[in-house]
Amino acid sequence: MPAIAWVGIGCGTIIVLCILGFSVLVGMCNRKLADFKANPEKSAAELMVKMNPKLKVLSQDESKGTMTIRTEDGKEMTMSYKDLSEGKFTVKDDKGNVTQIGQSDLSNLPTWVPKVAGMKTSTGSFQTTEGNKTTGVYNSTYSESADSLESSFKAEAEKLGLTSSNKSSFSADGAETRTLVYEGGGKKLSFIITSKAGEDNHVVVGYEETK
């Protein structure tokens, strides 16, 4: 399920990360969906590693479903596509910067980041702290309408004293995607709401704080 979830909302995650400054991911949304469908766990694992500039792919063994990666401090590890796609690891570099990848447990979210009532599932997250800056993303699903979710996220942002800096929407393949961005006082929130008739709404929440 986690890998399939990344297939469904991977582009939303990439958009959020690009909004937050992860330029390394620009253009990845052009990747063919067929690649994900062919091997969702491998594709999700590759996405997880690409989201972290501290990780480098050394080799892959598709027959075994494994990937060998190197961390910024030179450590090498071989992990299964499944574990990588579900993000069951934390990386800490020699400067003390910590990156948590893919944890679906949202207990480590900064306290100011909103978790709107009605969340049905959380399918994965990414968080990194470098010096005085923390950046992250989490994915979730809701049964509430896109209009209701937009209003709820707007209210949460306004409680934090953030103001709208960008709002856009587009429709493709029967789905509507809304992008909302709020910022102020060293904090930034972005919300990607994707809705399609007959399905739960997918939401990607991105956050950034500079202290």
Side-chain angles (χ1 to χ4, degrees):
M1 178 62 183
I4 299 300
W6 278 108
V7 172
I9 56 181
C11 282
T13 304
I14 295 167
I15 291 169
V16 168
L17 290 168
C18 289
I19 289 171
L20 296 176
F22 283 74
S23 59
V24 68
L25 296 172
V26 173
M28 282 187 65
C29 278
N30 293 325
R31 184 171 184 173
K32 294 180 180 179
L33 184 59
D35 293 340
F36 285 94
K37 290 182 177 179
N39 194 333
E41 287 185 344
K42 175 188 175 184
S43 297
E46 290 174 339
L47 176 59
M48 283 294 189
V49 174
K50 285 180 181 293
M51 284 197 300
N52 187 356
K54 298 184 182 67
L55 301 179
K56 180 179 180 180
V57 177
L58 297 180
S59 63
Q60 298 190 54
D61 187 331
E62 292 192 34
S63 64
K64 295 181 179 179
T66 61
M67 180 187 296
T68 300
I69 60 176
R70 177 186 293 148
T71 62
E72 191 175 47
D73 59 1
K75 294 180 181 178
E76 296 183 9
M77 61 184 84
T78 299
M79 301 181 66
S80 68
Y81 290 148
K82 184 179 189 317
D83 283 348
L84 279 166
S85 68
E86 294 177 356
K88 296 179 178 179
F89 65 100
T90 297
V91 176
K92 184 175 182 179
D93 64 21
D94 55 3
K95 296 179 181 179
N97 297 319
V98 176
T99 300
Q100 295 175 311
I101 304 178
Q103 304 297 328
S104 58
D105 179 6
L106 302 184
S107 62
N108 291 322
L109 280 179
T111 56
W112 65 273
V113 178
K115 298 188 289 291
V116 173
M119 183 189 300
K120 296 182 68 175
T121 62
S122 59
T123 55
S125 66
F126 169 88
Q127 180 172 293
T128 182
T129 299
E130 296 188 31
N132 62 347
K133 184 176 181 180
T134 297
T135 304
V137 169
Y138 74 85
N139 302 282
S140 53
T141 60
Y142 294 83
S143 57
E144 284 79 5
S145 69
D147 286 340
S148 176
L149 288 170
E150 181 175 338
S151 296
S152 296
F153 287 127
K154 178 182 178 182
E156 291 294 329
E158 290 178 343
K159 286 180 185 177
L160 295 167
L162 308 183
T163 57
S164 176
S165 62
N166 183 43
K167 179 180 178 180
S168 62
S169 66
F170 68 91
S171 298
D173 298 325
E176 180 194 23
T177 298
R178 306 183 187 188
T179 302
L180 314 169
V181 182
Y182 299 87
E183 55 188 311
K187 296 177 179 177
K188 180 185 287 187
L189 281 173
S190 57
F191 306 98
I192 305 292
I193 304 170
T194 301
S195 56
K196 190 172 185 178
E199 299 180 6
D200 287 335
N201 289 322
H202 295 283
V203 178
V204 183
V205 178
Y207 54 91
E208 178 183 293
E209 181 179 24
T210 302
K211 298 181 178 179

